[in-house]
């Protein structure tokens, strides 16, 4: 059987990750590839599943709910988009990791929903590492305070940090930001905050995931590089 285009793209991205790990002296199994399937039809997700993919990233709670209604196989769903507290019912207990927590208010709402559902939610704190006005994420200078505040929530577990680096044609331009993210995580861990021992770094997208891996990413979020270009309609 001929391998699907999506299947081929997945093997290529995985090869690139492996090579980036080799260059950086890292073990390839330290890096998890997340297929960002937002806006893509269920048939495309199924092609990716046929190629062995189980990690999927979505950014809209309702779209996640709709896809989970159709795909009942036990996948690992990641929430990577900005979140409103009234949508948490579609996310808490239905994802393995929430990447995009950037306020105490949101973390407390996740705590509350987690208690309701009897789960502990694993989260990442999103950092606006380049200080872009248009982007979500907390400023690096405010991170420690947020970590300390979230660390006392019993049903929320901080696993690490996430960033969406600036859009660029030249991935090298983002290397400094990825490096800063790694350093931020090391700095926070060195403070020995109770309940905080972070080891995940979600960074790198289609345009820059190889550089991100060289700089320590443990989770890379690749959409276009796997599924091709997204077509946005009014509903998404
Ligand atoms: C859409 C999206 C991605 C994937 O972007 P590509 O450039 O298509 O790989 C990764 N992370 C987040 C947060 C996104 O919203």
């Amino acid at each position: 059987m001929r391998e699907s285009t999506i299947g081929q793209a997945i093997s290529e991205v995985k090869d690139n990750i492996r090579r980036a790990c080799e260059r950086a002296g890292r073990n390839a199994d330290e890096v998890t590839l997340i297929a960002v399937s937002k806006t893509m039809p269920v048939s495309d997700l199924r092609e990716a599943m046929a190629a062995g993919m189980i990690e999927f990233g979505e950014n809209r709670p309702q779209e996640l709910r709709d896809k989970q209604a159709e795909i009942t196989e036990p996948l690992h769903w990641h929430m990577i988009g900005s979140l409103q507290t009234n949508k948490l019912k579609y996310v808490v207990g239905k994802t393995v990791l929430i990447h995009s927590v950037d306020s105490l208010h949101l973390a407390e709402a996740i705590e509350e929903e987690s208690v309701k559902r009897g789960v502990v939610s694993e989260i990442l704190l999103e950092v606006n590492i380049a200080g872009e006005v248009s982007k979500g994420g907390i400023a690096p200078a405010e991170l420690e305070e947020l970590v300390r505040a979230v660390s006392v929530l019993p049903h929320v577990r901080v696993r690490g940090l996430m960033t969406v680096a600036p859009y660029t044609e030249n991935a090298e331009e983002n290397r400094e930001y990825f490096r800063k993210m790694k350093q931020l995580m090391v700095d926070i861990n060195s403070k020995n905050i109770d309940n905080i021992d972070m080891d995940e770094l979600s960074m790198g997208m289609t345009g820059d995931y190889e550089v991100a891996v060289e700089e320590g990413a443990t989770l890379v979020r690749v959409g276009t590089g796997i599924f091709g270009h997204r077509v946005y309609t009014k509903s998404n």
Side-chain angles (χ1 to χ4, degrees):
M1 199 179 84
R2 206 178 125 265
E3 207 183 0
S4 75
T5 313
I6 289 171
Q8 253 169 356
I10 290 170
S11 335
E12 278 166 29
V13 172
K14 284 188 176 166
D15 279 346
N16 292 338
I17 291 172
R18 234 184 323 262
R19 279 193 288 265
C21 283
E22 272 170 29
R23 288 195 295 276
R26 301 183 63 196
N27 199 325
D29 61 19
E30 294 170 25
V31 182
T32 300
L33 170 62
I34 299 169
V36 175
S37 48
K38 63 188 187 194
T39 80
M40 296 300 164
V42 163
S43 56
D44 281 7
L45 278 77
R46 291 214 172 273
E47 270 190 46
M49 289 161 66
M53 184 59 62
I54 58 168
E55 314 285 339
F56 288 90
E58 291 284 338
N59 70 337
R60 307 266 169 159
Q62 286 102 323
E63 187 177 340
L64 173 71
R65 173 203 58 192
D66 294 346
K67 282 176 175 162
Q68 288 185 338
E70 283 191 64
I71 304 177
T72 54
E73 285 88 339
L75 301 177
H76 294 170
W77 297 95
H78 297 254
M79 177 45 62
I80 63 172
S82 64
L83 270 174
Q84 289 167 321
T85 53
N86 61 344
K87 306 282 167 58
L88 284 177
K89 56 181 179 288
Y90 304 132
V91 177
V92 169
K94 312 200 171 221
T95 50
V96 293
L97 188 62
I98 304 173
H99 291 229
S100 38
V101 180
D102 63 357
S103 71
L104 181 57
H105 174 70
L106 179 56
E108 285 173 341
I110 294 172
E111 166 72 21
E112 199 177 307
E113 188 68 26
S114 302
V115 170
K116 235 187 258 175
R117 293 181 183 261
V119 298
V120 172
S121 292
E122 310 225 317
I123 68 164
L124 303 178
L125 299 177
E126 181 175 354
V127 179
N128 187 345
I129 196 67
E132 291 176 284
V133 181
S134 60
K135 269 198 188 140
I138 188 161
E142 289 163 18
L143 180 63
E144 184 180 344
E145 193 186 333
L146 179 61
V147 169
R148 288 189 187 276
V150 174
S151 71
V152 303
L153 303 175
H155 300 83
V156 171
R157 182 160 168 245
V158 181
R159 295 295 316 276
L161 304 178
M162 177 269 212
T163 197
V164 179
Y167 177 78
T168 173
E169 299 273 311
N170 175 9
E172 280 300 326
E173 288 176 359
N174 281 340
R175 187 180 294 279
E176 60 167 316
Y177 296 124
F178 297 141
R179 218 170 258 173
K180 281 184 184 158
M181 287 294 295
K182 172 82 189 196
Q183 193 57 49
L184 264 180
M185 192 164 82
V186 170
D187 288 348
I188 296 279
N189 278 333
S190 74
K191 303 198 188 267
N192 293 318
I193 302 168
D194 275 356
N195 297 319
I196 298 292
D197 184 14
M198 302 194 286
D199 55 13
E200 301 289 350
L201 264 186
S202 172
M203 58 188 195
M205 301 166 39
T206 296
D208 57 16
Y209 67 89
E210 291 159 280
V211 175
V213 167
E214 287 172 11
E215 297 301 331
T218 64
L219 298 156
V220 295
R221 312 176 308 265
V222 177
T224 314
I226 290 176
F227 297 106
H229 286 285
R230 289 178 288 276
V231 178
Y232 285 92
T233 59
K234 252 207 219 135
S235 64
N236 59 37

